[in-house]
Amino acid sequence: MNSTSTPIIEVHQVHKSFKDVHAVQGVDLAIQKGEYVALLGPNGAGKTTLVEMIEGIQQPDAGDIKVKGLNWKQHQDQLHRVIGLSLQETRFIDKLSVRETLHLFSSFYKLPKSRVREVLELVRLKEKAKAFVVNLSGGQRQRLALGISLLNQPEVLLLDEPTTGLDPTARRELWEILAHLKTAYQTTMILTTHYMEEADYLCDRIVILDQGKVLAKGTLQKLLSENNLGEVIDFGLNAPGNHLEIPPLGDHEKILWKEDGMSAHLLVNDIVTYLPELLESVKRQGYHFTSLECRKMTLDDLFISMTGRRLGQ
């Protein structure tokens, strides 16, 4: 991927407010052709508002958005042919079949019938072509929504939490389809999600949003290394830890107590060094562990280290 070429999506100092709510505050973003980028953050972070501005549903109060060098005010018709989108929930006509639904939407683009057959194969719904939409599972409905967004062979795909509410198997099936689009068609994608694993599996870069601002962006490894935090100790105690004295924390290390006061989230540089000291300290002060987990840091942990809150909150 040539990072020196002109980005296919350019977002420059974009702002958007709704009355007293500043949904997006000065966001900058540049995405190259063929790149998959995840917008990650809690509810209210500004993810959906930002995507709606990129796809032309909302207009920014200030700033510029360009897709392939085009803007929505002057090039609406061209951009509709470039972009495919799938929202958090798509409503279908229940008594139409899967094939009839795709034919309906393909007629808006005046596409040949062969394109519907191609999309049925692409989203793995060929065997469900004659089934009424009302009888589809949640995962199948999301694949149909994705199929609709792919009918016009978009260069840019915008997906707003496409796997929310799906079981792990259905979620993984959608991931495989999206991964295939990247390799086979060099599709560019912006994905909003709550799921750290989804962002890590599918995307080249991750943009973490909170309260309308970009907190951090980069690959997962870059984000973790920049914050000098690589490992986590989660533990629970048999009593509130108000008086527990833990071993001294180094630079960038921190402890976050949960609301119950009996469990904590420790972000450390090196578990092997810190854990023996923690075990000895807890034992010496008469506490007992009710739970103990040691692991590498995740995106959720990174977000906690930045904000004190979990991504899903």
Side-chain angles (χ1 to χ4, degrees):
M1 189 181 301
N2 185 359
S3 60
T4 63
S5 62
T6 302
I8 192 169
I9 299 173
E10 300 172 272
V11 177
H12 178 64
Q13 282 297 296
V14 166
H15 293 256
K16 183 69 178 179
S17 297
F18 301 95
K19 295 185 178 180
D20 296 330
V21 177
H22 302 296
V24 176
Q25 304 183 59
V27 169
D28 289 304
L29 192 61
I31 299 174
Q32 300 294 328
K33 179 177 175 59
E35 190 176 19
Y36 275 20
V37 173
L39 298 182
L40 208 64
N43 292 326
K47 306 185 303 294
T48 295
T49 301
L50 178 57
V51 169
E52 287 181 347
M53 288 189 287
I54 294 171
E55 65 197 20
I57 294 175
Q58 300 274 1
Q59 288 295 318
D61 298 331
D64 298 310
I65 296 175
K66 292 182 179 178
V67 180
K68 292 194 71 178
L70 308 175
N71 63 58
W72 282 101
K73 287 184 180 179
Q74 297 174 301
H75 310 100
Q76 192 173 111
D77 288 344
Q78 296 100 306
L79 287 175
H80 279 309
R81 298 184 179 279
V82 170
I83 291 174
L85 60 94
S86 181
L87 305 178
Q88 289 183 29
E89 183 179 358
T90 304
R91 296 189 179 277
F92 302 109
I93 301 172
D94 286 345
K95 291 302 181 181
L96 285 183
S97 70
V98 169
R99 181 183 283 114
E100 289 168 340
T101 300
L102 288 170
H103 276 304
L104 173 64
F105 282 90
S106 71
S107 69
F108 302 153
Y109 296 100
K110 299 179 180 179
L111 299 173
K113 292 183 179 181
S114 60
R115 182 56 186 160
V116 170
R117 292 194 294 271
E118 291 169 0
V119 168
L120 283 170
E121 291 273 5
L122 194 58
V123 297
R124 305 178 185 179
L125 284 175
K126 184 179 178 181
E127 294 181 358
K128 290 289 182 179
K130 296 180 180 179
F132 286 133
V133 170
V134 70
N135 295 323
L136 298 181
S137 67
Q140 290 164 350
R141 290 176 72 92
Q142 284 301 87
R143 279 186 276 140
L144 176 56
L146 177 61
I148 290 169
S149 73
L150 296 174
L151 281 166
N152 62 327
Q153 295 180 290
E155 295 179 61
V156 175
L157 192 58
L158 304 174
L159 303 182
D160 193 4
E161 299 185 18
T163 64
T164 297
L166 299 186
D167 63 65
T169 301
R171 185 177 298 138
R172 179 68 65 168
E173 195 162 18
L174 202 62
W175 292 359
E176 291 172 358
I177 294 169
L178 293 173
H180 172 70
L181 291 173
K182 179 178 174 62
T183 56
Y185 301 98
Q186 285 194 298
T187 305
T188 304
M189 183 179 75
I190 296 180
L191 169 79
T192 73
T193 181
H194 285 303
Y195 300 116
M196 291 71 69
E197 184 187 2
E198 182 163 280
D200 190 28
Y201 179 87
L202 284 173
C203 296
D204 304 293
R205 282 192 297 140
I206 295 160
V207 178
I208 299 178
L209 292 173
D210 188 41
Q211 298 179 351
K213 298 179 180 179
V214 174
L215 289 185
K217 53 187 173 183
T219 64
L220 175 59
Q221 290 307 313
K222 178 174 179 285
L223 291 173
L224 296 181
S225 63
E226 282 180 348
N227 286 271
N228 297 309
L229 290 169
E231 300 182 320
V232 176
I233 302 173
D234 281 322
F235 66 87
L237 299 173
N238 61 320
N242 308 33
H243 305 293
L244 176 68
E245 294 181 7
I246 66 168
L249 294 168
D251 292 341
H252 307 294
E253 295 182 320
K254 65 177 70 176
I255 185 169
L256 299 166
W257 286 96
K258 299 179 183 178
E259 290 183 4
D260 60 11
M262 298 173 66
S263 53
H265 185 81
L266 255 173
L267 304 173
V268 299
N269 295 322
D270 182 22
I271 287 173
V272 173
T273 300
Y274 193 86
L275 184 59
E277 297 179 10
L278 177 65
L279 295 172
E280 176 59 31
S281 180
V282 168
K283 181 179 179 181
R284 186 177 66 252
Q285 296 173 69
Y287 287 93
H288 301 285
F289 286 115
T290 58
S291 63
L292 180 65
E293 180 186 2
C294 300
R295 54 186 169 79
K296 292 291 185 182
M297 195 176 183
T298 66
L299 285 169
D300 200 22
D301 300 317
L302 176 61
F303 189 78
I304 291 170
S305 76
M306 293 176 170
T307 68
R309 306 192 323 278
R310 290 189 175 278
L311 277 163
Q313 294 179 344

